[in-house]
Amino acid sequence: MAQQKTILRALAGETLPTPPIWMMRQAGRYLPEYKATRAQAGDFLSLCYNPELAAEVTLQPIRRYGFDAAILFADILLLPQALGADLWFVTGEGPRLSTITSADELAKLKPTEAIHDTLNPVYETVKILSRELPDETTLIGFAGAPWTVATYMIAGQGTPDQGPAHALKSENRPVFDGIINRLTEGTIAYLSKQIDAGAECVKLFDSWAGSLQGDDFTNYSIKPMQRIIAALKEKHPGVPVIAFPRGAGTKYVGVHAATGADCVAVDDGVDAAWVAQNVQNDGCVQGNLKSSHMVTGGDALVSETRRICDALSGGPHIFNLGHGITPDANPENVQLMIDTVRGS
Ligand code: CP3
């Protein structure tokens, strides 16, 4: 049967007259309805593990805006938690985890099969969404890429330069490689279950890929993503994968071929016209409006949105921001971006 959903058509390599659109962090604190449901859940992690409420916040931006895709509501740090790390969120600061930096701590992580005990509610959320989403909306599952998740497991929190992870990589390579391997295996198992539950596409977020230089970028961003994608393609042929090595800059060239991804998501550090010449020539691309336009709006939002659509109109393109929308964004600017992309 011919593929009807616009996002899946773009992912299959089709150039569409109007690019399909969704937005990173589309379910989030810029929306009053999200804040209300999060308050009902109690806290962020309780929301992630409550299938009814997690499905509700996933659906909110679809109801309000009619995005072409819904992204499962969860977090990249649920996998380390399922592997046995303690995880909590400090309001106004971000995530905190118990750290893993030694062979002993690595050995104490739970076996891959055990992650589902913790992650089952996430699969339940996917099942609810695949029943409740409109027929034209694509359901995207996701996980963090191993390097990015490792930076949080090693430091125990977000870090500006991923210093602790880089330090462990140079001081204790066997433990560092062990963490990357456990995350690679865990991510394959996690995404595979999301697909079994109804995810139609999955995305790998390598948010801190930009701090990997030279061979480290190949070995710790590209190769783990390539292993994950190869394993998923074997188990679930035909389910497209989006790779997002954020901050890769000129290293975005060749990422489709090197990882096997169907689509490469680009951040706003690269120019759309450059992306058209150097990345989109290899396949579908996603991106890349600066998320600050969702705060500032106005003519600049409209002209930048048009410029990106025009620059990428010669090949398969999914419109998105270059990174997640921020809590201070104005919901009306999101509507303005969508109207501009759809030409009304
Ligand atoms: O995009 C979506 O709408 C889907 C859900 C989603 C969340 N986090 C919800 C969330 C996705 C795909 C993520 C990915 C994620 N989580 C990444 C990679 C993408 C990126 O932004 O680079 C990272 C690095 C994390 C880890 C994480 N989770 C951090 C650093 C924070 C705190 C930052 C903040 O804004 O407070 C979170 C919390 C988080 N994850 C929120 C949401 C909606 C805010 C939590 C809240 O409601 O208070």
Side-chain angles (χ1 to χ4, degrees), residues 22-29 34 38 44 71-77 89 94-95 142 148 152 205 207-208 246 323-324:
W22 68 282
M23 187 173 72
M24 282 184 272
R25 291 274 171 100
Q26 63 191 21
R29 285 166 294 185
Y34 169 84
R38 186 181 179 286
F44 174 66
I71 183 160
L72 162 69
F73 190 83
D75 196 84
I76 65 164
L77 300 177
F89 280 79
F142 75 92
T148 289
Y152 290 93
F205 284 86
S207 303
W208 299 118
R246 187 168 73 92
H323 197 201

Side-chain angles (χ1 to χ4, degrees), residues 17-334:
T18 300
I21 177 168
W22 68 282
M23 187 173 72
M24 282 184 272
R25 291 274 171 100
Q26 63 191 21
R29 285 166 294 185
Y30 74 105
L31 287 180
E33 59 268 36
Y34 169 84
K35 283 192 261 192
T37 309
R38 186 181 179 286
Q40 193 188 337
D43 59 44
F44 174 66
L45 281 176
S46 308
L47 178 55
C48 290
Y49 288 119
N50 181 322
E52 293 293 337
L53 296 184
E56 166 58 24
V57 293
T58 307
L59 290 164
Q60 285 168 351
I62 307 305
R63 286 191 208 113
R64 187 190 265 256
Y65 298 115
F67 282 116
D68 296 293
I71 183 160
L72 162 69
F73 190 83
D75 196 84
I76 65 164
L77 300 177
L78 303 187
L79 177 60
Q81 187 176 38
L83 284 166
D86 295 329
L87 171 68
W88 67 103
F89 280 79
V90 179
T91 310
E93 292 186 31
R96 294 289 182 275
L97 297 92
S98 51
T99 58
I100 314 269
T101 54
S102 69
D104 270 3
E105 286 159 346
L106 175 62
K108 283 196 196 115
L109 290 179
K110 293 181 191 169
T112 301
E113 316 81 73
I115 64 173
H116 307 306
D117 299 345
T118 301
L119 296 170
N120 264 322
V122 177
Y123 313 139
E124 278 309 309
T125 307
V126 175
K127 283 184 198 158
I128 296 171
L129 288 167
S130 58
R131 283 198 305 270
E132 295 194 359
L133 277 169
D135 289 344
E136 65 277 14
T137 314
T138 301
L139 177 55
I140 303 176
F142 75 92
W147 159 250
T148 289
V149 178
T151 67
Y152 290 93
M153 289 178 86
I154 294 164
Q157 60 184 54
T159 45
D161 56 0
Q162 297 74 60
H166 285 289
L168 186 69
K169 169 159 58 62
S170 55
E171 286 156 20
N172 195 339
R173 192 63 69 114
V175 167
F176 179 80
D177 284 347
I179 296 171
I180 295 287
N181 279 330
R182 289 300 321 273
L183 288 171
T184 302
E185 281 168 24
T187 304
I188 293 166
Y190 182 36
L191 290 178
S192 195
K193 287 273 191 188
Q194 291 184 27
I195 295 168
D196 287 339
E200 298 168 283
C201 162
V202 293
K203 177 169 174 183
L204 286 167
F205 284 86
D206 212 352
S207 303
W208 299 118
S211 76
L212 290 167
Q213 304 301 323
D215 287 347
D216 279 351
F217 180 76
T218 307
N219 290 330
Y220 295 118
S221 180
I222 298 294
K223 282 194 182 159
M225 288 202 284
Q226 187 273 332
R227 263 185 72 191
I228 293 164
I229 294 169
L232 291 176
K233 294 279 176 191
E234 200 177 301
K235 286 192 194 170
H236 310 275
V239 175
V241 182
I242 304 172
F244 182 37
R246 187 168 73 92
T250 54
K251 297 194 291 295
Y252 274 120
V253 177
V255 170
H256 285 94
T259 59
D262 302 86
C263 174
V264 175
V266 293
D267 63 275
D268 52 70
V270 286
D271 185 74
W274 179 86
V275 171
Q277 293 294 315
N278 296 284
V279 190
Q280 197 184 31
N281 52 326
D282 287 336
C284 185
V285 294
Q286 178 181 282
N288 68 344
L289 183 69
K290 247 193 216 337
S291 36
S292 58
H293 287 293
M294 297 301 102
V295 182
T296 53
D299 291 347
L301 183 166
V302 172
S303 61
E304 268 300 284
T305 299
R306 288 203 180 121
R307 193 182 63 79
I308 291 166
C309 289
D310 287 348
L312 296 168
S313 63
H317 175 215
I318 298 168
F319 195 91
N320 205 309
L321 300 177
H323 197 201
I325 188 168
T326 51
D328 55 344
N330 180 344
E332 288 178 16
N333 291 333
V334 176

